Amino acid sequence: MILRRALACSRPLPRVARAPSLARWYSPTIYKPDGTTHAVKEELTPLAKHIRDTILATGPISVAQYMQLALTSPIGGYYTRGQVFGREGDFVTSPEISQMFGEVMAVWYVMHWEMMGRPAKTVFVELGPGRGTLMEDIMRAAKRFKSFYASVRGIHFIEKSPELRKLQHDKLGCDWNDTTTVDDKNDSGTTPVSSVSRRYGGLRVGWHDVVEQVAVDKDCVPLVMAHEFFDALPIYKFEKGEGGNWNEILVDVADSNATPMQATSPAQMRGTLQSSSSIDGDSSASHFKLVRARGVTSNAAMVLRDQRFDSLFDKGDRVEVSPESARIMIQLADWISANNGMGLIIDYGADWTQGDTFRGIKSHRFANPLCSPGSMDLTADVDFSYLRFAAKDRAKCYGPIEQGSFLHSMGIQARLQQLLKSTADDKVQKDLVECYRRLTDVHSMGRVYKVLAVLPNSSTGAPVPFAQPTAVDPGNPTATDST
Ligand SMILES: C[S@@+](CC[C@H](N)C(=O)[O-])C[C@H]1O[C@@H](n2cnc3c(N)ncnc32)[C@H](O)[C@@H]1O
């Protein structure tokens, strides 16, 4: 019944993305140098200069600090720009490919709202909403379910980018007359902090820099969504060295005396220590390079405190760890358990700790992440086992399962059929089928993207379409029960 009603939420003209075929992921191999050498250094932008000065003043910085500055610094961080999505931008995401994605997500929330006894008050909390497309698709589909729609009291967006906040504001039909703003840190205008969506019946919309700023009323059920958010959070990189010590991999200025790191080859990433090649293919152009820290850094001592990092890795192995992800996951798990909420985390990654996935994405190509900070997206595959470990004893985690399987179980094929019937235009029909293929095919986004569901600790029964909660083995936290 729910599915049928959701599938009736068609629009006159189905939206399909005519975007390049590269999504915001690629197979889990490191950036591969193209062998090109550049005699001329790239331009030293204000952000690159700031990073360089920081390193010259205090020494090499962590990859996490570099990533944070390159992505969200107010002096030219990548996400301070608005137009990074789509054909003119650098990448395309699932909600931008087709409306079917968000509509199917809406069905999931409605189903679990029903299963949880139709709570009277709910609030959406979306982390990293991009252009606001996913929430718009969810809300439009949710309108078909009158009781559910009536329960939605507001939307909280966690978004650092002033430009993207403005796009989200307009996408949800918020009126600037109702909008409270703060001055942009980069003086490019004003940044919305709260508004009212005229399109969605005067619904309150709030923006926050960090999850801790969101105040969820005790009697309000949080409906959490994080799509391609965790992969943008800063990671630290370490390599296991002599005597089992973990050496941190840091970012240094290119003209320092430190020897640049040699990259792990794809063969090494699969655990065989054979060949190596330079990680920094066009390092002669970049102002930065990766180096090994001398001695154990405080980051290594803090971030790798968990026993798994002693027992599961051998000399030469690398790990990428995002403590910021764990911090946010703890917050989400606590909200969800305290307020009987539910959450979906969708991203590319695996259910184990990654080694060498840190990369740049620019103009739909993979790029050296150390080149031109602020000019490209930086990302690393998500370690779902680490997220589950952070949520341990706080909430129940289900999955991750593959995106293709999730979308199929939630009825994407039926929705596709409906949209195909709604148009006689051959081209639109072909595009719709192609979008469906891209979202679900195991060779496209269907396998590499995973879905993790989070339910309260007190919940009984698994959410559709998951099996049992995924356990964390205390002796070996990266090992998982299969779902
Ligand atoms: C790759 S985009 C994904 C956008 C959207 N979810 C989609 O799939 O189309 C990442 C989003 O996370 C936001 N973001 C990145 N790092 C963030 C941080 N540390 N805090 C808050 N938002 C962040 C970006 O501004 C952007 O909206």
Side-chain angles (χ1 to χ4, degrees):
M1 175 66 174
I2 285 179
L3 196 58
R4 214 163 1 100
R5 281 164 64 203
L7 297 176
C9 60
S10 63
R11 302 198 301 195
L13 263 186
R15 186 188 79 242
V16 290
R18 291 184 185 80
S21 57
L22 182 70
R24 201 169 159 270
W25 61 273
Y26 72 119
S27 59
T29 55
I30 53 163
Y31 163 72
K32 286 215 195 93
D34 59 6
T36 325
T37 53
H38 304 257
V40 181
K41 282 261 184 260
E42 62 198 17
E43 184 200 351
L44 194 65
T45 59
L47 178 57
K49 184 173 180 321
H50 171 72
I51 296 174
R52 186 179 157 79
D53 289 348
T54 305
I55 295 173
L56 290 176
T58 60
I61 58 173
S62 64
V63 172
Q65 193 181 349
Y66 176 84
M67 209 172 159
Q68 189 208 336
L69 287 167
L71 288 180
T72 55
S73 163
I75 52 166
Y78 180 73
Y79 280 115
T80 57
R81 299 191 277 146
Q83 293 301 348
V84 295
F85 302 83
R87 185 180 277 283
E88 311 79 36
D90 292 312
F91 54 82
V92 63
T93 60
S94 296
E96 300 293 338
I97 285 175
S98 167
Q99 70 195 65
M100 290 184 279
F101 188 82
E103 290 165 350
V104 163
M105 296 303 151
V107 173
W108 189 87
Y109 287 111
V110 176
M111 271 184 153
H112 292 93
W113 175 80
E114 296 266 6
M115 276 172 60
M116 286 183 162
R118 303 175 141 237
K121 291 189 201 169
T122 60
V123 61
F124 275 107
V125 180
E126 186 179 1
L127 296 94
R131 288 208 284 212
T133 307
L134 177 54
M135 190 49 69
E136 218 280 304
D137 287 339
I138 290 176
M139 287 306 296
R140 193 190 62 256
K143 246 183 167 173
R144 312 289 302 189
F145 306 94
K146 288 203 166 53
S147 309
F148 173 76
Y149 183 69
S151 80
V152 182
R153 299 301 158 96
I155 299 173
H156 292 284
F157 285 137
I158 315 298
E159 177 60 73
K160 282 214 168 128
S161 162
E163 288 308 312
L164 288 176
R165 282 189 186 194
K166 287 175 206 159
L167 294 180
Q168 293 149 17
H169 175 278
D170 295 349
K171 187 69 134 192
L172 283 185
C174 293
D175 190 322
W176 283 101
N177 291 321
D178 304 320
T179 304
T180 312
T181 58
V182 288
D183 283 342
D184 286 358
K185 289 176 194 133
N186 58 1
D187 286 338
S188 69
T190 48
T191 305
V193 288
S194 74
S195 191
V196 170
S197 166
R198 293 270 168 100
R199 184 170 310 143
Y200 293 108
L203 200 65
R204 291 218 69 81
V205 183
W207 284 265
H208 316 271
D209 284 329
V210 289
V211 277
E212 285 77 4
Q213 289 171 339
V214 180
V216 175
D217 291 343
K218 258 275 161 242
D219 59 347
C220 215
V221 166
L223 313 172
V224 177
M225 166 59 76
H227 182 263
E228 289 211 29
F229 172 75
F230 282 98
D231 69 82
L233 296 184
I235 52 131
Y236 291 84
K237 276 179 83 81
F238 304 95
E239 184 180 82
K240 201 156 200 180
E242 293 298 336
N245 281 337
W246 284 100
N247 298 315
E248 186 168 0
I249 297 173
L250 299 169
V251 178
D252 199 354
V253 291
D255 45 9
S256 81
N257 292 331
T259 320
M261 285 284 306
Q262 295 297 296
T264 8
S265 69
Q268 284 174 302
M269 280 189 287
R270 285 191 298 271
T272 54
L273 291 166
Q274 289 155 3
S275 59
S276 66
S277 59
S278 168
I279 205 168
D280 224 348
D282 41 9
S283 60
S284 58
S286 170
H287 291 282
F288 305 102
K289 66 182 176 190
L290 292 180
V291 297
R292 252 183 224 96
R294 288 192 210 99
V296 179
T297 60
S298 56
N299 290 331
M302 290 292 293
V303 175
L304 302 177
R305 261 184 320 194
D306 194 81
Q307 186 205 334
R308 79 168 100 173
F309 296 108
D310 287 333
S311 52
L312 292 180
F313 298 93
D314 296 325
K315 187 181 158 208
D317 283 349
R318 290 190 187 160
V319 291
E320 293 172 339
V321 189
S322 171
E324 174 81 347
S325 298
R327 185 186 63 74
I328 294 173
M329 190 66 192
I330 286 171
Q331 175 78 37
L332 298 182
D334 284 349
W335 268 348
I336 286 172
S337 277
N339 298 322
N340 221 18
M342 61 192 86
L344 287 177
I345 294 170
I346 308 168
D347 226 309
Y348 42 78
D351 206 26
W352 56 84
T353 304
Q354 314 287 307
D356 265 313
T357 69
F358 175 50
R359 58 199 183 263
I361 301 175
K362 187 172 184 170
S363 306
H364 302 272
R365 289 173 176 276
F366 308 120
N368 181 346
L370 298 183
C371 278
S372 308
S375 75
M376 67 178 75
D377 189 20
L378 298 182
T379 178
D381 282 10
V382 169
D383 175 359
F384 285 97
S385 73
Y386 190 63
L387 298 184
R388 290 190 296 101
F389 188 56
K392 185 169 169 266
D393 298 333
R394 295 171 181 272
K396 283 185 182 154
C397 291
Y398 296 82
I401 61 172
E402 293 174 5
Q403 171 167 301
S405 141
F406 179 88
L407 293 175
H408 278 134
S409 304
M410 297 308 299
I412 193 171
Q413 278 180 330
R415 180 62 180 143
L416 171 68
Q417 292 306 327
Q418 220 170 29
L419 288 172
L420 288 173
K421 279 190 202 142
S422 74
T423 173
D425 185 327
D426 250 20
K427 170 87 178 76
V428 175
Q429 288 187 337
K430 277 199 185 104
D431 281 347
L432 276 168
V433 173
E434 174 55 13
C435 291
Y436 156 78
R437 190 199 63 73
R438 284 176 68 184
L439 292 176
T440 58
D441 194 298
V442 290
H443 302 296
S444 187
M445 300 164 87
R447 174 160 292 161
V448 74
Y449 281 80
K450 310 276 190 314
V451 184
L452 184 83
V454 188
L455 289 192
N457 245 345
S458 58
S459 63
T460 51
V464 179
F466 297 84
Q468 292 307 306
T470 316
V472 177
D473 174 355
N476 177 4
T478 52
T480 65
D481 292 348
S482 59
T483 44

